[in-house]
Amino acid sequence: MVFHRTFITCLLTFSSLFSARAAAPSPKAATDLICHTNHASECYPRIFQPTENFQTVHDDQNLPPGLHVRMNLVTGVKEARLNIPEPDEDLASSSLTIIDDSDMLGYKEAKEGIETSRISAQEGASASRQQPFLPPQHDIAESTLFSDSASELKSHVSQDTENLLPALENLEDLSHSYHWGLSLAKDSQLTHKLFQLLLPSNHYLEVRSLATLVLGTAIHNNQAALTVALTHFYNDEWSEGPLEAVILALLHEQSPILLNRMMFLLSSLCQDKTQLKAFLDAGGVELLIGIFDAESMAENDRHKLRKKVTHFVLDHLMPAETDNTSDNDTIEESDMDAEWTMIHLKRHSESRQPPEERP
């Protein structure tokens, strides 16, 4: 009888504990949802939740850093997935390598970092920023396209542009990706070839224009690619680099398309402080004033070129003027017109003159 009573008492106690635990409120989901309709099935997380496969990224979603992001050329939408490592190899090679389990260690660590971000948006973003960059695992088509296009460019010696232009177009398209931009910049032979193609000695304007765009795209907002690309120049073998070619083109070229792309490459190069200083020391501000004042091209072409110059001022010259800008001199977006740009170009030019030579 005592055993029976003890068993019943334990059973009731266990039942009470179970009921209390079941009644406790479930923890609030750390991931906020965005819902534009009343249908729950159409909601999605505010923080993008990556997997091994590409998924659509909505315009109002926040992307954790370190993902492989691409634009789907078929659907026209942005897609992203986890970065998955592949062996460190010569990306210009057409050979394929099978990744074994040991190569997935870094990937598993990166995935754990992404999972941690689901606990809290702020903690997740901070944890993701601490993750090292891991190159994504590319499909065969992407890897083959890069390899074939790079090989075509490096082996091209004739004046025939039939195969050269498609190769440049493919590289330009791929170089929007952080990984392929960095891969291009690491290849010294490929970088030197692009440099040679954008020189005035190349009489094919379309080739020069595309080569300029490819190099500018590869290093644009890609500090790692810019840094490694510059290591291939300014040495015993290559005393000059793309910056000198850009300055020469801006001085003498007349083609609006080439000039616009040269301005894009210039802005990409000047993300490096040494390149920006070299450009300014070479009379770069006066060169920009001359371009901005030029009236020899059609109105629409001149407007596009002036816009490039204005963006250059905003991106590279305004930070240097911040300390000298008073509260009454705040620049509003509506003021970013021809007069505003010219005022700041001339102001920057005067600031570089010795005090005794200033007007």
Side-chain angles (χ1 to χ4, degrees):
M1 178 66 72
V2 173
F3 173 78
H4 182 66
R5 287 179 179 177
T6 303
F7 175 76
I8 292 176
T9 302
C10 292
L11 183 63
L12 290 173
T13 303
F14 176 78
S15 176
S16 299
L17 290 173
F18 180 80
S19 300
R21 179 169 295 181
S26 59
K28 182 180 179 181
T31 304
D32 294 334
L33 295 178
I34 298 176
C35 301
H36 295 291
T37 68
N38 294 328
H39 300 288
S41 61
E42 297 180 2
C43 298
Y44 47 87
R46 186 176 302 278
I47 306 296
F48 180 78
Q49 304 297 315
T51 65
E52 294 90 342
N53 300 317
F54 280 109
Q55 301 177 80
T56 298
V57 179
H58 298 277
D59 292 338
D60 48 359
Q61 275 187 302
N62 296 326
L63 276 177
L67 302 182
H68 179 200
V69 182
R70 74 177 185 185
M71 178 66 70
N72 190 314
L73 300 181
V74 177
T75 62
V77 298
K78 184 191 292 185
E79 298 176 339
R81 71 177 183 187
L82 289 167
N83 275 335
I84 306 173
E86 60 184 6
D88 186 13
E89 61 180 2
D90 182 7
L91 291 171
S93 172
S94 60
S95 62
L96 298 177
T97 305
I98 299 175
I99 304 175
D100 60 26
D101 291 339
S102 62
D103 293 318
M104 299 301 292
L105 178 59
Y107 160 68
K108 293 175 182 177
E109 293 174 350
K111 187 174 181 180
E112 291 174 359
I114 295 296
E115 291 296 331
T116 303
S117 70
R118 294 177 181 173
I119 300 175
S120 163
Q122 291 182 342
E123 292 180 0
S126 176
S128 299
R129 279 194 295 269
Q130 296 174 3
Q131 294 293 329
F133 168 74
L134 297 174
Q137 179 183 11
H138 305 286
D139 54 40
I140 296 177
E142 252 187 25
S143 300
T144 302
L145 186 62
F146 181 87
S147 175
D148 291 348
S149 301
S151 297
E152 174 63 34
L153 205 63
K154 291 188 287 187
S155 62
H156 186 84
V157 293
S158 68
Q159 298 297 317
D160 181 19
T161 62
E162 181 179 355
N163 297 323
L164 188 59
L165 291 176
L168 286 168
E169 290 170 352
N170 292 335
L171 289 174
E172 191 276 328
D173 183 48
L174 289 168
S175 293
H176 287 275
S177 158
Y178 178 95
H179 177 68
W180 290 124
L182 181 58
S183 300
L184 184 150
K186 285 181 176 179
D187 190 326
S188 61
Q189 187 181 355
L190 184 56
T191 306
H192 288 153
K193 187 65 177 182
L194 287 168
F195 171 67
Q196 291 172 326
L197 290 176
L198 61 84
L199 292 173
S201 55
N202 179 10
H203 301 297
Y204 292 95
L205 183 62
E206 189 174 3
V207 172
R208 291 186 64 196
S209 181
L210 261 177
T212 303
L213 184 60
V214 171
L215 192 54
T217 301
I219 64 176
H220 184 66
N221 292 334
N222 192 337
Q223 187 61 48
L226 172 59
T227 300
V228 72
L230 292 175
T231 63
H232 304 317
F233 300 96
Y234 308 109
N235 49 48
D236 293 339
E237 185 179 358
W238 298 83
S239 59
E240 295 184 344
L243 179 64
E244 287 72 21
V246 169
I247 293 175
L248 193 62
L250 293 177
L251 281 169
H252 302 291
E253 295 299 334
Q254 301 295 324
S255 167
I257 295 178
L258 181 58
L259 287 172
N260 270 281
R261 291 180 176 179
M262 285 290 179
M263 280 299 306
F264 171 62
L265 176 55
L266 174 65
S267 186
S268 298
L269 288 167
C270 287
Q271 293 172 133
D272 179 86
K273 293 182 179 180
T274 303
Q275 292 284 285
L276 176 60
K277 182 179 184 302
F279 175 69
L280 297 177
D281 290 344
V285 175
E286 290 72 20
L287 176 58
L288 295 178
I289 292 175
I291 294 173
F292 201 84
D293 258 348
E295 299 182 356
S296 58
M297 61 182 65
E299 182 65 28
N300 186 47
D301 293 331
R302 184 174 62 175
H303 173 73
K304 291 179 180 178
L305 190 56
R306 282 186 165 187
K307 190 174 181 180
K308 292 285 187 183
V309 176
T310 298
H311 285 176
F312 185 91
V313 173
L314 285 169
D315 293 341
H316 304 294
L317 301 186
M318 285 299 295
E321 297 179 355
T322 301
D323 295 338
N324 300 323
T325 303
S326 65
D327 294 337
N328 297 325
D329 198 23
T330 302
I331 303 302
E332 301 294 339
E333 186 174 356
S334 58
D335 297 326
M336 294 175 189
D337 53 13
E339 183 179 1
W340 178 91
T341 303
M342 187 58 72
I343 287 174
H344 282 271
L345 280 173
K346 289 182 177 179
R347 177 186 299 176
H348 196 84
S349 177
E350 292 170 1
S351 69
R352 296 181 61 81
Q353 296 177 1
E356 62 273 10
E357 296 182 10
R358 297 177 186 175

